[in-house]
């Protein structure tokens, strides 16, 4: 995958509530990443993402059967990016890649070579950005990156926000996790800026202002 998309633009879609307001047809024919439970929405078939990422081991365990079905039905060469803990848990895993990432990112520790021990992330979008850098994209556009989970005690994904499911994490855990996540995104942004990679957040009203917040129409 090294530099497979050198010099191109990708769109990484998180699962924030703002995705419900996104005209998915705007991304037709674009290089797109989807993550975690995106397949639970009809938007999955409309988007037909090029790359699908599930990084957290608990997310993978919860979705293993569905992911196996997606791999089995993969007739268009979609790439799957998993944590190395998923090795051996997907059968007939053509187009599946497993990333060993065990190094916490710091100001002086950017390990984005996916063939070696790479940086680990608390948030799947951070993992996707790292993968996009490795794959050679020089412009990364984030969508569904609301960064607003801590504003509600209900589930906050676009595909289940209406179900009003109570979350199990305490606010203490939530804020700790978000503090780590935003620090890791800050380090990603610094790396991209230093290496001439443009990364922007096209999620309107996002609470993550580490990246410049832009209008998606200007980046299509």
């Amino acid at each position: 995958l090294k530099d497979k998309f050198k010099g191109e633009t990708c769109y990484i879609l998180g699962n924030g509530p703002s995705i419900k307001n996104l005209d998915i047809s705007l991304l037709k024919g674009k290089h797109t990443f989807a993550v975690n439970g995106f397949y639970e929405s009809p938007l999955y078939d409309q988007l037909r993402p090029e790359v699908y990422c599930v990084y957290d081991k608990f997310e993978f365990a919860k979705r293993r059967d569905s992911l196996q079905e997606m791999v089995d039905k993969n007739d268009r060469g979609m790439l799957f990016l998993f944590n190395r803990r998923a090795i051996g848990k997907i059968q007939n895993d053509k187009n599946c890649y497993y990333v060993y990432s065990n190094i916490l990112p710091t100001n002086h520790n950017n390990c984005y070579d996916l063939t070696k021990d790479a940086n680990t992330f608390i948030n799947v979008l951070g993992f996707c950005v790292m993968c996009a850098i490795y794959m050679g994209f020089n412009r990364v556009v984030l969508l569904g990156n609301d960064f607003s989970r801590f504003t509600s005690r209900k589930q906050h994904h676009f595909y289940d926000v209406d179900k009003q499911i109570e979350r199990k994490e305490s606010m203490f855990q939530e804020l700790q996790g978000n503090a780590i996540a935003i620090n890791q995104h800050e380090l990603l942004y610094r790396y991209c800026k230093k290496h001439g990679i443009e990364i922007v957040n096209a999620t309107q009203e996002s609470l993550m202002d580490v990246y410049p917040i832009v209008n998606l129409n200007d980046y299509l």
Side-chain angles (χ1 to χ4, degrees):
L1 299 180
K2 177 66 175 173
D3 290 336
K4 181 178 176 68
F5 303 100
K6 190 172 180 62
E8 300 190 52
T9 297
C10 71
Y11 303 81
I12 299 176
L13 282 77
N15 291 328
S18 62
I19 292 291
K20 292 171 71 72
N21 302 319
L22 175 65
D23 180 359
I24 211 76
S25 67
L26 295 173
L27 300 178
K28 187 175 183 180
K30 308 291 187 185
H31 299 299
T32 53
F33 288 60
V35 303
N36 293 349
F38 196 94
Y39 64 83
E40 295 184 28
S41 165
L43 294 183
Y44 171 72
D45 289 323
Q46 297 174 41
L47 178 66
R48 295 174 66 84
E50 191 166 11
V51 183
Y52 207 95
C53 296
V54 179
Y55 182 62
D56 181 85
K57 65 180 180 180
F58 299 109
E59 284 286 338
F60 180 88
K62 180 169 64 174
R63 306 182 186 285
R64 178 179 171 183
D65 291 345
S66 296
L67 291 167
Q68 181 68 67
E69 185 177 349
M70 290 162 64
V71 169
D72 291 341
K73 291 182 177 180
N74 186 18
D75 59 355
R76 50 193 168 87
M78 181 166 62
L79 305 174
F80 292 88
L81 293 170
F82 299 130
N83 188 289
R84 48 94 176 162
R85 293 186 182 89
I87 291 174
K89 297 178 181 177
I90 294 288
Q91 304 303 309
N92 304 314
D93 58 348
K94 183 180 179 181
N95 291 331
C96 294
Y97 296 85
Y98 306 92
V99 179
Y100 187 92
S101 58
N102 207 37
I103 299 174
L104 286 172
T106 67
N107 288 330
H108 308 289
N109 203 10
N110 301 115
C111 304
Y112 298 163
D113 183 349
L114 303 192
T115 66
K116 301 177 182 178
D117 190 359
N119 281 162
T120 185
F121 292 91
I122 196 171
N123 177 282
V124 68
L125 292 187
F127 172 70
C128 287
V129 172
M130 177 178 71
C131 292
I133 291 169
Y134 180 78
M135 295 161 80
F137 290 105
N138 73 346
R139 175 183 279 175
V140 178
V141 180
L142 298 175
L143 292 159
N145 182 27
D146 299 53
F147 202 66
S148 57
R149 277 173 51 109
F150 57 89
T151 64
S152 171
R153 301 311 301 148
K154 310 292 184 181
Q155 285 288 19
H156 223 50
H157 310 112
F158 78 94
Y159 51 81
D160 63 15
V161 69
D162 297 330
K163 298 177 183 177
Q164 295 293 298
I165 302 170
E166 290 279 353
R167 293 215 317 277
K168 297 178 180 179
E169 303 90 348
S170 68
M171 181 58 77
F172 175 75
Q173 292 172 312
E174 192 66 61
L175 293 177
Q176 275 194 318
N178 278 277
I180 295 169
I182 201 163
N183 180 63
Q184 293 179 342
H185 279 283
E186 168 70 19
L187 293 170
L188 281 165
Y189 181 59
R190 288 188 204 170
Y191 179 91
C192 288
K193 195 170 182 179
K194 181 178 179 180
H195 291 84
I197 302 166
E198 184 179 12
I199 179 167
V200 296
N201 185 4
T203 311
Q204 296 303 303
E205 300 183 12
S206 173
L207 297 181
M208 181 183 285
D209 57 4
V210 165
Y211 307 114
I213 297 180
V214 302
N215 189 309
L216 175 60
N217 290 325
D218 295 331
Y219 281 79
L220 291 171

